Amino acid sequence: VCIHRVRSCSSIHFIKSKYVCVFDKSALKFSHQQRLFRTSAVSCGQIVQFKLSDIGEGITEVTVKEWYIKEGDSVSQFDSICEVQSDKASVTITSRYDGVIRKLHYSIDDIAFVGKPLVDIEIDASKGVAPEEDVVETPPMSHEEHTHQEIKGHKTLATPAVRRLAMENNIKLSEVIGTGKDNRILKEDILNYLAKQTGAILPPSPKAEIVPPLRKTETVPAAPKDKARKIPVPVSRPIAFSGKDKTEPVTGFQKAMVKTMSAALKIPHFGYCDEIDLTQLVQLREELKPLAELRGVKLSFMPFFIKAASLGLLQYPILNASLDENCQNVTYKASHNIGVAMDTEQGLIVPNVKNVQVCSVFDIAVELNRLQSLGSAGQLGTSDLTGGTFTLSNIGTIGGTYAKPVILPPEVAIGALGKIQVLPRFNGKGEVFKAQIMNVSWSADHRIIDGATMARFSNLWKSYLENPASMLLDLK
């Protein structure tokens, strides 16, 4: 039994079995928020309910995918507690307290709700780190709760390990300038800050950040092998026939697909298809692949497709726009955040490469490598999956030449890329030669985009890819 406040009473009686305890008001006048005694075993800690905070994007429920702790484990601030998955992204939840885990409120694959308790943590009551609203005996939810991405109201982008390193060295993250993506604070930023001890360091030049130092020739093969080991390989499972129907709830990314595609089919689509001769681009990529591998990056065709699309969007900005619900206003997006559809074990996801209009082909390749690694591991964040303005879907990696892609609202256009085939074609002299042919299928919102605009954009995109040297004239 805990007594937090005593306002007006002459005496308080506690009756348990045949024991009677009487306390005078005078004995309690200095006990506004003090635990007097407990009916259970003696404990020096205070049980705190750690609630699932709002993780943004209007998400109200998530699925618990993995627990990193169990009952009885000790945790510190910023230690990872669990990984949850919404219909948009996977998020790692970290602890706000130092203490011992006493109860897990959910099992694997259970649905957890925002604002509801996630775990119970026993903390040292003498430290007084727990706000009154978080104590188990107090039902109201704290209005000062923050997400695992915030520290005392200041939002920063940093991993739990980086936050802990800053805390151990008494560094305020707000004073450190992050050099990672979207100003994310990296471990190197903290170490550089410690070395200078004169204030936040300046971010390195774009060249230093984007182009890592060349490795020695003998170490080149090690990089692709190490990277390959980190990517999980799907294992085929034996098919079991139970003879019974099975009903499962629609959750995670499937739930997001239901919402998105239901909205997408309200858009009047029109399609446009063409074929691209990638013979010169195939040769160029073969020349650049070893250079990219020296920098530890796998160079595919996709960075060229994405950059060519961005150059085309500069000429036809209507394809990088959005239409409001009432179809009264068109918003032309300043950033080219080009999404790339990925087939993962969790389902179809579409992360996007931010600000392609100011990125080089190598920059795009680096970002694609990062997104593909996180996508394979199911660790893409909300920022990676939102904010797209235009999408390319590479169905050719699986097979097929043509498709009918569906627009992802609020975007207004999407392209599907088929597989590259070696086919006979005629040159200008009428001679037959082997050509590397790829088919592309475009879909556009016919409410604001006409067929002529789509065709002109496709022709420009095609010209950049068929003559990759021409891209140099427009690269920034």
Side-chain angles (χ1 to χ4, degrees):
V1 178
C2 301
I3 299 188
H4 292 282
R5 290 180 174 84
V6 177
R7 299 190 182 278
S8 59
C9 59
S10 57
S11 63
I12 300 176
H13 298 263
F14 295 90
I15 302 177
K16 177 70 175 177
S17 298
K18 55 184 178 180
Y19 298 100
V20 178
C21 301
V22 180
F23 294 90
D24 245 75
K25 178 182 177 182
S26 59
L28 294 172
K29 63 181 180 180
F30 297 109
S31 303
H32 292 292
Q33 195 170 347
Q34 180 180 0
R35 179 168 293 173
L36 299 179
F37 68 92
R38 300 176 64 143
T39 57
S40 60
V42 177
S43 174
C44 61
Q46 186 178 39
I47 302 297
V48 169
Q49 285 186 336
F50 178 69
K51 301 182 181 72
L52 178 62
S53 300
D54 184 7
I55 58 179
E57 298 294 327
I59 296 170
T60 59
E61 61 182 44
V62 295
T63 302
V64 178
K65 303 303 294 183
E66 183 178 0
W67 285 106
Y68 299 120
I69 46 87
K70 60 182 181 298
E71 293 181 2
D73 284 356
S74 297
V75 295
S76 301
Q77 293 185 55
F78 312 118
D79 281 354
S80 297
I81 291 181
C82 66
E83 180 180 343
V84 299
Q85 186 181 79
S86 68
D87 57 357
K88 297 183 179 179
S90 295
V91 179
T92 300
I93 305 298
T94 58
S95 175
R96 288 177 54 193
Y97 309 106
D98 299 329
V100 179
I101 301 298
R102 291 306 180 196
K103 181 180 179 181
L104 306 181
H105 285 268
Y106 301 98
S107 301
I108 299 296
D109 292 330
D110 282 355
I111 302 297
F113 297 92
V114 171
K116 299 297 182 181
L118 195 62
V119 297
D120 289 354
I121 304 178
E122 182 177 350
I123 63 174
D124 188 352
S126 63
K127 294 182 179 180
V129 295
E132 181 183 351
E133 292 85 353
D134 280 331
V135 178
V136 172
E137 293 86 355
T138 307
M141 177 182 174
S142 171
H143 296 289
E144 297 177 359
E145 283 194 337
H146 48 69
T147 67
H148 70 289
Q149 295 177 334
E150 299 181 29
I151 296 181
K152 295 183 179 178
H154 177 72
K155 292 186 178 181
T156 56
L157 289 175
T159 63
V162 172
R163 294 180 183 277
R164 186 164 187 175
L165 178 63
M167 181 183 66
E168 290 174 350
N169 292 278
N170 297 319
I171 295 176
K172 294 182 180 179
L173 292 179
S174 59
E175 297 178 355
V176 181
I177 296 178
T179 60
K181 177 177 171 57
D182 296 330
N183 298 322
R184 183 182 296 275
I185 298 176
L186 308 177
K187 181 180 178 181
E188 292 76 12
D189 300 330
I190 301 295
L191 296 178
N192 289 335
Y193 182 85
L194 283 173
K196 292 197 174 184
Q197 290 293 324
T198 55
I201 61 172
L202 293 175
S205 63
K207 182 177 180 180
E209 179 183 354
I210 295 171
V211 183
L214 296 179
R215 302 179 181 179
K216 295 182 180 179
T217 306
E218 59 270 16
T219 63
V220 172
K225 290 181 181 179
D226 293 341
K227 186 176 287 293
R229 291 194 191 102
K230 295 179 182 178
I231 300 177
V233 179
V235 179
S236 60
R237 300 177 181 176
I239 300 175
F241 295 96
S242 63
K244 296 180 180 179
D245 295 342
K246 183 173 66 172
T247 302
E248 294 181 348
V250 178
T251 60
F253 294 128
Q254 286 184 334
K255 193 172 184 179
M257 189 184 299
V258 170
K259 296 178 182 178
T260 304
M261 293 299 100
S262 297
L265 291 180
K266 298 178 182 179
I267 300 173
H269 286 56
F270 82 89
Y272 179 84
C273 301
D274 200 357
E275 72 171 32
I276 319 294
D277 183 356
L278 299 181
T279 304
Q280 292 188 38
L281 181 61
V282 170
Q283 296 174 355
L284 176 62
R285 174 177 171 264
E286 288 301 317
E287 295 175 4
L288 296 179
K289 272 180 64 177
L291 298 177
E293 288 178 357
L294 286 173
R295 302 180 183 184
V297 175
K298 179 181 178 181
L299 181 63
S300 64
F301 288 104
M302 204 64 189
F304 297 97
F305 300 153
I306 292 174
K307 188 60 185 180
S310 177
L311 294 175
L313 293 176
L314 292 173
Q315 301 296 323
Y316 300 96
I318 187 63
L319 297 174
N320 195 59
S322 64
L323 187 64
D324 64 7
E325 293 183 1
N326 298 324
C327 300
Q328 299 297 317
N329 299 288
V330 177
T331 301
Y332 294 85
K333 304 293 185 178
S335 298
H336 296 172
N337 299 338
I338 299 182
V340 181
M342 293 183 181
D343 178 41
T344 68
E345 293 183 1
Q346 293 79 30
L348 175 66
I349 56 176
V350 189
N352 58 82
V353 181
K354 300 288 194 298
N355 297 309
V356 177
Q357 75 278 4
V358 295
C359 292
S360 66
V361 172
F362 182 76
D363 297 342
I364 300 169
V366 171
E367 180 65 2
L368 276 179
N369 279 210
R370 184 186 73 86
L371 294 175
Q372 288 167 348
S373 298
L374 293 177
S376 299
Q379 297 177 349
L380 285 167
T382 305
S383 61
D384 296 321
L385 295 168
T386 56
T389 61
F390 186 86
T391 298
L392 292 176
S393 177
N394 189 8
I395 61 167
T397 57
I398 301 175
T401 53
Y402 290 96
K404 186 180 179 182
V406 179
I407 299 169
L408 298 176
E411 299 173 21
V412 295
I414 184 174
L417 313 175
K419 64 181 179 181
I420 300 176
Q421 306 175 87
V422 179
L423 299 173
R425 290 295 183 267
F426 291 95
N427 59 19
K429 298 179 181 180
E431 301 169 340
V432 178
F433 71 100
K434 292 193 302 183
Q436 303 279 351
I437 301 298
M438 181 189 74
N439 299 109
V440 60
S441 306
W442 301 104
S443 290
D445 188 340
H446 216 340
R447 295 174 297 183
I448 59 173
I449 299 173
D450 55 66
T453 301
M454 189 75 253
R456 292 188 181 101
F457 167 83
S458 181
N459 290 337
L460 180 58
W461 181 76
K462 175 180 178 178
S463 69
Y464 283 132
L465 297 179
E466 291 188 339
N467 304 283
S470 64
M471 296 174 64
L472 297 175
L473 296 176
D474 296 320
L475 289 178
K476 300 184 186 300

